[in-house]
Amino acid sequence: MEIVILENSDAVAIEGAARIRRLLEDKPDAVLGLATGSTPLAMYRRLVADFRQGLVSFTGVTTFNLDEYVGLRADDPQSYSGYMSRELFDHIDIDRGRTHLPLCEPGTDPATVGPCYEESIREAGGIDLQVLGVGQNGHIGFNEPASSLGSRTRVKTLTPETLHSNSRYFDDPAEQPELAVTMGIATIRSASRVMLLATGSRKAAAVRQLVEGPVSAMWPATALQLHERVAVLIDNEAAAGLERRDYYDWVNRKQRQLLLRYGES
Ligand code: PGA
């Protein structure tokens, strides 16, 4: 696991956007896995700014979002589809036909959504880079504690903590769905690379488990320890619970020296 501890949340956004830009320079038709929530917002703003300056183009890019609420329409501003339009897709040159979310609009049988989504990801050739946040309870996507580490895209019932934490996005609590369709933990692990972003002290406990805890379904993010290429980009506050922080900083200094000498592999 590559653990990159940065000064603050702005630095995390800058580094995350730079990594996406570098990937798209190498592979303009990359398949990106995208996340919603408050954490990636600053990174998306950065990518929009980079696009406006002509530093990056998304014309060949395909995207798959991690999750979507059950029962919301794509044009519902409270849906994750609405979030992605507002925060990223409406401001860049991406072909909207290549953007995917596991939509489950009213009238759709939720059980059918997961297998179709998995099939679409396979048809696109798999995800090159999956962007992730992490919940305070260690969830990735909406894979709540006790999710199977071998899970694929399916319906999940949200925990009371997650409902509480996400209630800020809903003006009327009665409109907040309690079910979501989410990529599974095995789906996320199938991505060639994973980049998890976490900022702020409320993420410190989850980050500690993710990096230093035992692999456990009770902290779903710990499943990333089994992945070959994971970068964890965190700020000082989110890193506050790490016991081996000095070591991670030292590793990074060494990695930078290697990079200067041999370039990126
Ligand atoms: P947040 O959510 O970015 O809004 O903190 C992250 C998550 O729940 O995965």
Side-chain angles (χ1 to χ4, degrees):
M1 211 176 246
E2 181 191 359
I3 301 145
V4 183
I5 304 171
L6 298 153
E7 187 62 26
N8 53 35
S9 56
D10 282 347
V12 169
I14 289 169
E15 179 64 21
R19 286 177 184 232
I20 291 179
R21 247 183 14 237
R22 282 205 296 274
L23 170 67
L24 297 185
E25 274 162 23
D26 287 350
K27 190 172 182 189
D29 60 348
V31 179
L32 297 178
L34 296 178
T36 53
S38 51
T39 310
L41 279 175
M43 181 180 77
Y44 292 151
R45 282 189 197 123
R46 188 96 207 163
L47 286 172
V48 169
D50 289 345
F51 165 70
R52 288 188 176 139
Q53 286 179 49
L55 300 175
V56 64
S57 168
F58 296 84
T59 47
V61 171
T62 299
T63 65
F64 287 92
N65 264 78
L66 281 169
D67 42 23
E68 180 58 283
Y69 288 112
V70 167
L72 296 191
R73 295 188 184 283
D75 60 4
D76 185 324
Q78 297 175 121
S79 69
Y80 283 156
S81 174
Y83 168 111
M84 289 309 300
S85 299
R86 212 164 43 241
E87 305 299 342
L88 186 65
F89 297 154
D90 284 353
H91 312 290
I92 57 176
D93 58 350
I94 198 160
D95 172 356
R96 290 303 294 263
R98 291 176 190 259
T99 64
H100 305 85
L101 287 99
L103 273 177
C104 186
E105 296 189 306
T108 304
D109 174 0
T112 61
V113 177
C116 290
Y117 205 58
E118 292 282 331
E119 183 58 27
S120 308
I121 295 172
R122 262 194 304 277
E123 277 171 11
I127 291 171
D128 293 299
L129 175 69
Q130 177 66 55
V131 175
L132 289 179
V134 62
Q136 279 174 259
N137 65 3
H139 72 201
I140 45 175
F142 273 136
N143 294 285
E144 300 284 34
S147 289
S148 163
L149 300 185
S151 51
R152 291 275 166 187
T153 309
R154 73 227 180 281
V155 178
K156 283 297 289 182
T157 304
L158 305 182
T159 57
E161 315 84 93
T162 298
L163 288 170
H164 174 72
S165 158
N166 288 359
S167 60
R168 62 190 194 275
Y169 299 114
F170 293 87
D171 300 333
D172 177 359
E175 286 181 11
Q176 184 177 8
E178 292 166 353
L179 299 177
V181 177
T182 180
M183 280 187 199
I185 295 175
T187 319
I188 292 168
R189 283 183 49 204
S190 301
S192 301
R193 291 195 209 186
V194 173
M195 180 171 81
L196 182 142
L197 315 180
T199 55
S201 55
R202 67 191 180 92
K203 298 298 172 65
V207 166
R208 159 106 203 264
Q209 291 295 328
L210 154 66
V211 176
E212 297 177 340
V215 174
S216 161
M218 293 315 290
W219 289 94
T222 60
L224 299 176
Q225 292 176 16
L226 302 169
H227 194 283
E228 203 182 349
R229 292 190 84 178
V230 179
V232 177
L233 310 186
I234 51 182
D235 66 0
N236 274 321
E237 290 184 5
L242 294 174
E243 275 183 14
R244 304 293 305 270
R245 172 176 181 154
D246 289 348
Y247 172 64
Y248 311 135
D249 285 339
W250 189 64
V251 169
N252 271 311
R253 285 197 294 278
K254 290 279 163 213
Q255 289 297 328
R256 274 199 296 275
Q257 285 166 10
L258 283 177
L259 207 65
L260 284 174
R261 203 151 154 202
Y262 300 108
E264 197 160 8
S265 59

